[in-house]
Amino acid sequence: GQQVMQIPQYQHVQEGEDFTTYCNSSTTLSNIQWYKQRPGGHPVFLIQLVKSGEVKKQKRLTFQFGEAKKNSSLHITATQTTDVGTYFCAGLADYKLSFGAGTTVTVRA
Amino acid sequence: DAGVIQSPRHEVTEMGQEVTLRCKPISGHDYLFWYRQTMMRGLELLIYFNNNVPIDDSGMPEDRFSAKMPNASFSTLKIQPSEPRDSAVYFCASSPQGDIPYNEQFFGPGTRLTVL
């Protein structure tokens, strides 16, 4: 069945540095969504990508959908303490949505 | 808008007891989802409804779990009998109608279930 793999599982970042988290699917996706979950909180929708090669930006966050629609990435520039949390990708294929295991981000001030 | 409302926020029960989790989706949303989150298994989709009709329940772990949506503003997830391995955070989410399911999902605050 469809699997969405997300790496790395943990990301320890110095404040001010950049980092990227990656999402890979074994099957072609109809779309991919990204969510952020703060510690003790609930997932909050960040963005949805639908088109092959699509790139979207939200302030310091850049989301990309691969040309083959099997992978995606989230790049955060100039990391801040407010970026702490777990970032999940969720891929839709054959009307089934699969969440990745998430990348948990901690920030060193 | 109050967002997705879930109750209770915390539930502690003993093995073998029945547990009922409740969810009120955002008004006007046509899709409702139930998720379970654990450290070991991450975030798992259990079931989702479209216009109160269950569409995909392939994620429901076993017959002890059942979900209903009697109307557009209310859904329940029931576990009977409960077992310690059911301990998890259960999220309800809703999303508006669209060409495909799984548009932007709005998650509730979750119910933290502990089965002793």
Side-chain angles (χ1 to χ4, degrees), chain B residues 18-35:
Chain B
E18 177 179 296
V19 175
T20 299
L21 311 181
R22 297 172 177 79
C23 175
K24 177 179 169 55
I26 292 173
S27 178
H29 282 192
D30 295 322
Y31 289 97
L32 184 139
F33 308 84
W34 281 101
Y35 290 90

Side-chain angles (χ1 to χ4, degrees), chain B residues 35-80:
Chain B
Y35 290 90
R36 177 173 67 177
Q37 186 175 42
T38 62
M39 288 294 293
M40 290 296 296
R41 301 178 66 89
L43 196 60
E44 303 173 277
L45 176 66
L46 301 177
I47 185 171
Y48 82 89
F49 296 82
N50 182 24
N51 292 320
N52 314 337
V53 177
I55 302 300
D56 184 357
D57 64 354
S58 59
M60 295 286 265
E62 48 197 273
D63 292 345
R64 297 184 298 106
F65 285 70
S66 63
K68 294 182 180 180
M69 192 165 186
N71 58 63
S73 59
F74 183 66
S75 177
T76 59
L77 177 67
K78 185 176 294 185
I79 308 173
Q80 166 64 17

Side-chain angles (χ1 to χ4, degrees), chain B residues 11-17 19 36-38 62 64-65 79 81-90 112-116:
Chain B
E11 177 80 30
V12 180
T13 190
E14 293 187 344
M15 182 174 62
Q17 296 298 305
V19 175
R36 177 173 67 177
Q37 186 175 42
T38 62
E62 48 197 273
R64 297 184 298 106
F65 285 70
I79 308 173
S82 58
E83 297 181 3
R85 59 192 170 120
D86 301 330
S87 298
V89 179
Y90 290 81
R112 182 174 295 278
L113 173 65
T114 303
V115 183
L116 303 175

